């Protein structure tokens, strides 16, 4: 019985260490608001805090591709996954991304309060 308990404790401890290291590697921080967010093959970093959902929608309404309507701001997941904060973005449709070689989204927004988001901007070049 003791061997079984010891094996479980070792397994749980190892799982916690691996999860923590993975989080640190992916998000650049230890269990805080992400310093970076990997999404759709790109990396996003925080640029503006304390935005309301209305402000997020207003910002995204001004970022449509030439000749196109602005894309709706939709939920895209959580950062970090499962237990993290809700993320939203105006995602460019896949057909447009492939045709024009543009990223999935130019910005992501992480929910930080009841009606408060932090904007994350895309890094790097095309």
């Amino acid at each position: 019985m003791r061997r079984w308990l010891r094996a479980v404790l070792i397994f749980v401890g190892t799982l916690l260490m691996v999860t923590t290291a993975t989080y640190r590697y992916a998000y650049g921080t230890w269990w805080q608001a992400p310093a970076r967010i990997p999404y759709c093959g790109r990396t996003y970093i925080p640029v503006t805090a304390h935005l309301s959902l209305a402000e997020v929608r207003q910002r995204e309404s001004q970022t449509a591709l030439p000749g196109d309507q602005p894309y709706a701001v939709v939920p895209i997941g959580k950062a970090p996954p499962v237990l993290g904060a809700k993320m939203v973005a105006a995602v460019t449709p896949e057909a447009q991304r492939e045709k024009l070689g543009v990223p999935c989204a130019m910005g992501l927004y992480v929910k930080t309060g009841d009606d408060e988001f932090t904007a994350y901007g895309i890094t790097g070049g095309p």
Side-chain angles (χ1 to χ4, degrees):
M1 183 70 166
R2 284 186 174 197
R3 245 186 223 166
W4 179 81
L5 180 59
R6 182 179 175 161
V8 168
L9 290 175
I10 290 172
F11 174 75
V12 170
T14 302
L15 184 63
L16 286 172
M17 287 189 304
V18 168
T19 302
T20 300
T22 302
Y23 180 93
R24 171 73 171 150
Y25 178 76
Y27 298 103
T29 187
W30 295 106
W31 306 109
Q32 299 165 356
R36 63 178 176 267
I37 297 175
Y39 173 71
C40 203
R42 301 300 293 265
T43 301
Y44 297 80
I45 58 171
V47 291
T48 307
H50 311 296
L51 298 170
S52 69
L53 184 56
E55 290 171 315
V56 168
R57 288 184 174 136
Q58 172 62 30
R59 284 172 154 231
E60 289 300 325
S61 72
Q62 300 168 358
T63 61
L65 293 171
D68 215 350
Q69 295 291 328
Y71 304 121
V73 174
V74 296
I76 58 169
K78 293 184 175 191
V82 183
L83 301 174
K86 175 182 167 183
M87 287 192 309
V88 297
V91 180
T92 305
E94 189 172 350
Q96 286 290 81
R97 292 194 310 256
E98 290 176 6
K99 179 180 171 184
L100 301 172
V102 297
C104 295
M106 292 304 290
L108 309 177
Y109 302 89
V110 176
K111 189 168 186 174
T112 56
D114 286 338
D115 185 35
E116 191 169 290
F117 290 82
T118 295
Y120 282 71
I122 197 166
T123 62

